[in-house]
Amino acid sequence: MSMPPDIRQRAEALVASERERFAALHPRSRQLAAEAGEHFPGGVPLHWMLDWETPFPLFVQCAEGSTVTDIDGHAYADFCLGDTGAMFGHSPAPVAKAIAEQAAKGLTAMLPSALTACVGQLLSDRFGLPFWQVTATASDANRAVVRWARALTGRRKVLVFDGCYHGQVEDAFVKLDGTVTKMKPSLLGQVVDIAENTIALPFNDLEAVEAALANEDVALILTEPALTNTAMVLPKDGYIEGLLAAARRHGTLVCIDETHTISTGPGGFTRAHGLEPDFFVLGKPVAGGLPAAVFGFTAKVEADMRRVLDTKVPGYSGIGTTLSGNMLALAAMRACLEEVMTPENYAHMTALAEKLASGLRGEVSGHGLPWTVTQIGARAELVFSSRPLENGAEASAAIDHTVERAIHLFLLNRNVLVTPFHNMTLVAPTTTQADVERLVTRFGEALSALCGRAEV
């Protein structure tokens, strides 16, 4: 899956020229970066905001619908959408209204609000699990699920898949080195070897799962329905269903993390495919972009939770944070579930994403490049591979950061944003046909530059 040398060389030159172009276009952002850099490293409140690979950060003046306007007055068609946090558009009107109304009545009190029963019913109806808890982030939700699974089963090990992403959950920071699970070397400040209690396996390999579960020491399988934070890998037909069946045979619990694959449809991949996991996690867009997440679980899990709590010694459980389930988050979540995450909006999103994927494929084919475009609902991604990927190792081999950076910077300098971490795009309810046409056209121009067909 290696990149042709001529394309790599042009990509390196394109990155250099596009960085110069960015600097010329954004004097006000440069100034603000310098000012913010006095107190925020790199000029940003979160270091990931530097991953756009621009010479200095792009500062936002406002973000509405599918449009981001920077501090220098440039308006962008946004297909990054906060890397899924704003998947339903920036500041959806019903959510903004609910936040404003609730803000006047209280933000947090460490007590339930009148919205609690309503939100619980909405979550149960939509995702099919009867019981729920609210956290501040999907990382917190996944971490809580891991801790609960170990407490309920009395087992220590967690099984994840090579190339997965589950936020800041330490147990998921492992990778496969051949057939051996090793802790990711990029993880900062970790003093205990995570690989002692976490197993990493290749995605889409049921035989490997069956073999790992045979020891009956795995508390939880934590998985996305598709690998989404690397070059995207979709599950083979029947793979997730087979994984659930294997887990049941061996007394292992399963959590499906839909923080990214909620792009599939109103009930995520889980409801679209009639899956019945023990736990379900959703973060990022569930409250319209306000920090909030949820994890759902079955009636059996809830009964086992009560059993464990009844026998627990007094003291803090290590699950939950003070601001979890606050009144503001519940208000935003209610509005998002009822008025934004609608079947009608998903129909629009998926249809436009199909047009986007088709347009991107047309440009790839027209330029004679051996690449594919993968789609899951409203999410579409360019993959540097001649065929769909099957696992994390193939995904890792398909990534070319230099070519990615060249495409991303080229698009950004022509008023189109895509996710900086990989070639992922999202379509929101507010995305228009014109937005899609702009991205496809600019993408074609980027490929022409990479193929030496046009002067930039």
Side-chain angles (χ1 to χ4, degrees):
M1 298 181 185
S2 60
M3 190 66 62
D6 57 335
I7 288 190
R8 174 72 60 72
Q9 291 169 1
R10 292 193 192 97
E12 291 172 353
L14 190 58
V15 168
S17 64
E18 292 299 326
R19 285 173 63 86
E20 291 179 3
R21 179 172 179 148
F22 177 90
L25 287 170
H26 300 93
R28 181 64 177 140
S29 276
R30 182 196 289 274
Q31 178 184 350
L32 283 181
E35 293 173 3
E38 293 293 321
H39 303 288
F40 291 104
V44 294
L46 172 67
H47 68 275
W48 286 5
M49 294 178 181
L50 298 173
D51 286 354
W52 295 83
E53 298 291 350
T54 51
F56 46 84
L58 179 73
F59 280 76
V60 175
Q61 179 69 43
C62 65
E64 299 175 284
S66 295
T67 301
V68 168
T69 303
D70 70 27
I71 201 72
D72 286 285
H74 308 292
Y76 303 81
D78 186 8
F79 289 88
C80 171
L81 296 170
D83 193 24
T84 311
M87 192 179 89
F88 303 109
H90 297 283
S91 296
V95 175
K97 180 174 182 288
I99 289 173
E101 291 176 353
Q102 182 60 48
K105 297 185 289 185
L107 305 178
T108 186
M110 210 173 76
L111 290 167
S113 73
L115 289 168
T116 304
C118 170
V119 172
Q121 191 65 56
L122 287 169
L123 291 167
S124 178
D125 290 346
R126 180 176 292 256
F127 300 113
L129 287 160
F131 292 100
W132 294 85
Q133 290 282 269
V134 178
T135 64
T137 68
S139 293
D140 292 334
N142 282 319
R143 190 176 287 114
V145 168
V146 169
R147 195 175 291 273
W148 273 118
R150 286 173 168 152
L152 301 183
T153 64
R155 300 175 178 182
R156 297 179 61 171
K157 292 189 177 180
V158 173
L159 193 159
V160 299
F161 294 98
D162 187 39
C164 71
Y165 181 72
H166 300 288
Q168 293 188 85
V169 177
E170 291 85 354
D171 302 87
F173 276 85
V174 291
K175 58 178 288 186
L176 273 179
D177 185 357
T179 59
V180 178
T181 299
K182 291 188 177 180
M183 189 168 70
K184 288 185 176 180
S186 60
L187 181 59
L188 295 175
Q190 181 65 30
V191 296
V192 177
D193 186 358
I194 294 165
E196 291 181 3
N197 290 301
T198 299
I199 302 168
L201 293 179
F203 195 71
N204 276 322
D205 189 340
L206 280 178
E207 288 186 9
V209 170
E210 190 71 46
L213 297 183
N215 292 327
E216 304 208 341
D217 58 355
V218 176
L220 178 75
I221 297 174
L222 176 60
T223 187
E224 308 163 85
L227 299 183
T228 59
N229 212 54
T230 181
M232 189 155 62
V233 182
L234 300 183
K236 294 179 180 178
D237 289 344
Y239 170 69
I240 302 295
E241 291 84 350
L243 186 130
L244 286 163
R248 291 190 191 99
R249 286 194 299 272
H250 295 285
T252 296
L253 299 171
V254 177
C255 176
I256 295 183
D257 180 356
E258 294 249 26
T259 298
H260 287 164
T261 55
I262 192 62
S263 63
T264 308
F269 188 99
T270 297
R271 211 62 193 270
H273 292 265
L275 305 178
E276 296 182 351
D278 302 285
F279 292 96
F280 173 100
V281 164
L282 175 60
K284 289 193 178 182
V286 70
L290 194 74
V294 294
F295 65 97
F297 40 96
T298 64
K300 182 181 184 309
V301 167
E302 191 273 341
D304 286 343
M305 285 176 167
R306 283 188 282 108
R307 171 182 56 79
V308 168
L309 289 173
D310 286 343
T311 58
K312 184 180 78 68
V313 298
Y316 182 48
S317 67
I319 298 173
T321 56
T322 304
L323 297 182
S324 297
N326 66 75
M327 297 181 289
L328 189 66
L330 269 289
M333 203 178 300
R334 194 281 311 158
C336 194
L337 288 166
E338 275 192 343
E339 302 179 68
V340 181
M341 295 174 65
T342 63
E344 294 77 15
N345 277 343
Y346 267 99
H348 170 88
M349 294 157 67
T350 301
L352 267 189
E354 289 172 354
K355 291 181 179 179
L356 173 58
S358 177
L360 297 179
R361 290 187 188 108
E363 292 296 340
V364 167
S365 176
H367 286 82
L369 293 167
W371 300 341
T372 57
V373 177
T374 304
Q375 182 191 353
I376 184 165
R379 179 182 297 264
E381 183 167 329
L382 171 69
V383 179
F384 300 140
S385 169
S386 60
R387 60 171 176 78
L389 304 170
E390 294 189 5
N391 54 52
E394 290 187 354
S396 179
I399 294 171
D400 189 299
H401 294 295
T402 302
V403 176
E404 280 185 1
R405 191 173 302 130
I407 293 172
H408 299 172
L409 286 170
F410 186 99
L411 294 174
L412 187 153
N413 280 334
R414 289 151 187 83
N415 304 97
V416 179
L417 298 179
V418 298
T419 305
F421 310 120
H422 37 102
N423 295 313
M424 190 275 289
T425 64
L426 278 169
V427 171
T430 48
T431 304
T432 66
Q433 177 71 30
D435 292 331
V436 169
E437 290 172 356
R438 186 198 305 185
L439 171 51
V440 171
T441 298
R442 296 307 191 191
F443 176 69
E445 293 170 356
L447 295 190
S448 292
L450 288 172
C451 293
R453 295 188 186 180
E455 293 294 329
V456 180

